[in-house]
Amino acid sequence: MGIREQLHDALDEQGFPRPTLLAEAMSRLDARQPTSKHQWQAVVAACLAIAVVATFLVIRAHRETPNPISNAPASCPVTLPPRPPFVPPASYPSTPSGGESWYGTPALWTALAPNGTWSGLPYDKGVYHQKVFWWRDAYDWRSESGILQLSVSGVRTDGPAKPLTASTVTSASAADIGSAMLVGIDIPAAGCWEITGQYKGTTLSFVVWVAG
Amino acid sequence: MGMTGESDLISRATAGDKAAFEALLEPIVAPAARLAYAMLQDRAEAEDVVQESAVKAWRKLGSFRPGADFKPWFLAIVANQCRMVRRTSWWAVLRLERTPADRSDSETNSVLSMDLRRALLALPSDQRAALALHFYLDLPLDEVAEVLGVSVAGVKSRINRALKRMRPALMTNEVVS
């Protein structure tokens, strides 16, 4: 069997893409007409100017602020990256990607959003979806049989909300972060949430502002 | 769709005719979704990417080069959008593995496909895109080159490097020459 057939076998999925995909894409188009070339040039120039100013402001803010600034309201005590930062065992990168920060202990740690805020989350059928990764030293998805022992829960601390629901624990692996445990969570409302992971007697909690 | 018909649709779409734009997209939505799925291996993410790419294409139609082919232009937007998603989302970067207890018999029978998908995900995005475009979307090498913005020789090189890296997961060895 050639590579072409093998790829089709591996990747073809029934019902994909959904027949409504084009209609959904069309419904997202804005009313304005496509931008012309010279309009683009103006947009690019404006973006460059904004980028220069933003870079200047970010550098200045970085110099003045030892900790990341949270977008959360004062009533939400979001968990910010610890100082000094938690450094995981040597087999893991000393810092995670994407501006996040490690948080926890070698027995159980996770990655915090840079400003304690989850924003731009996918929203569907009344819930926000997020994926939370958890690590523990020497965790190996190929040999570990007890990953289902990780449980994740969450409570909203600044108002009423239905309970947060967590998916079945799965494993994730990539060369740059090693093996991790992954839980998808459905958050029923924006607001201040305390997320807790429990694994074999170790508990780790953090507070995050869900901006939606 | 003939080039004349396509040119007409592009002109109308550029002038703001959404029906014309929809007609342009209709034949390439499925290939675009398949490309995105090959890049991301997440159905929801792949469909999101296609929708986002459609929005971007609509906004960028003014910069579309007259006489060019719409399909590679749109697929290039999709490929770029996939790269962006992979940069910004760990979800897309990671190969997810369920526990053995979660796997059904049919999944167990698909070990070869899983190995292939895993091997595909481990490739650098330029190699994965080249492989998917040529072998999965059946695009000729010159169109793959147009989508990726590289020469045909560059495409061949990417594909052959990808095939070499994926060899343990493949049942056959192939070389593009």
Side-chain angles (χ1 to χ4, degrees), chain A residues 37, chain B residues 63-68:
Chain A
K37 211 170 221 172
Chain B
S63 62
F64 183 82
R65 186 163 45 86

Side-chain angles (χ1 to χ4, degrees), chain A residues 1-4 6 8 10 12-14 18 24 28 30 33-35 97 133 135 147 171 174 182, chain B residues 15 18 34 37 43 47 51-52 58-59 62 90-91 94 97 99 117 135-136 138 170-172 174:
Chain A
M1 186 160 54
I3 173 71
R4 187 167 272 112
Q6 290 181 61
H8 279 275
D12 281 351
E13 291 216 8
Q14 206 170 16
R18 283 173 290 122
E24 288 168 25
R28 289 182 55 183
D30 37 34
Q33 290 186 357
T35 315
S97 60
F133 294 84
W135 288 260
I147 65 163
S171 286
L182 171 61
Chain B
K18 285 187 181 177
R34 287 164 65 205
Y37 183 67
R43 291 171 64 131
E47 291 183 342
Q51 290 189 17
E52 192 60 36
W58 171 250
R59 292 177 180 166
W90 279 16
W91 174 256
L94 295 167
E97 291 294 343
T99 57
R117 290 202 301 268
F135 287 115
Y136 189 42
D138 296 329
L170 292 169
M171 288 185 280
T172 53
E174 294 183 26

Side-chain angles (χ1 to χ4, degrees), chain B residues 72 133 139-155:
Chain B
L133 288 162
L139 258 58
L141 292 172
D142 57 340
E143 279 192 32
V144 177
E146 200 176 337
V147 172
L148 299 180
V150 298
S151 66
V152 170
V155 171

Side-chain angles (χ1 to χ4, degrees), chain A residues 64-160:
Chain A
E64 292 172 355
T65 316
N67 268 314
I69 300 169
S70 173
N71 298 325
S75 59
C76 185
V78 296
T79 307
L80 292 172
R83 303 285 174 158
F86 164 65
V87 179
S91 54
Y92 296 88
S94 56
T95 55
S97 60
E100 295 181 309
S101 305
W102 296 132
Y103 175 68
T105 68
L108 187 63
W109 76 91
T110 187
L112 296 177
N115 56 6
T117 299
W118 288 342
S119 56
L121 300 182
Y123 183 78
D124 183 37
K125 295 175 184 165
V127 292
Y128 296 98
H129 304 290
Q130 176 61 307
K131 294 119 185 177
V132 187
F133 294 84
W134 306 80
W135 288 260
R136 78 177 189 87
D137 191 14
Y139 173 74
D140 183 350
W141 65 269
R142 287 163 299 193
S143 57
E144 182 86 29
S145 59
I147 65 163
L148 297 179
Q149 293 177 43
L150 173 71
S151 67
V152 175
S153 59
V155 290
R156 187 178 173 192
T157 62
D158 63 344

Side-chain angles (χ1 to χ4, degrees), chain B residues 6 21 24-39 46 49-50 53-54 56-57 60 64 69-83 125 129-130 132-134 136-140 142-149:
Chain B
E6 185 173 289
F21 185 64
L24 280 169
L25 280 185
E26 193 172 12
I28 54 173
V29 159
R34 287 164 65 205
L35 169 64
Y37 183 67
M39 297 282 286
V49 159
V50 173
S53 300
K56 286 190 173 175
K60 289 168 67 175
F64 183 82
D69 194 356
F70 185 76
K71 182 178 177 181
W73 182 76
F74 182 70
L75 292 179
I77 294 174
V78 173
N80 280 332
Q81 188 66 19
C82 288
R83 289 189 197 105
S125 63
L133 288 162
H134 185 55
Y136 189 42
L137 268 61
D138 296 329
L139 258 58
D142 57 340
E143 279 192 32
V144 177
E146 200 176 337
V147 172
L148 299 180

Side-chain angles (χ1 to χ4, degrees), chain B residues 149-163:
Chain B
V150 298
S151 66
V152 170
V155 171
K156 287 180 186 172
S157 163
R158 280 167 169 77
I159 289 176
N160 285 329
R161 273 185 278 139
L163 291 176

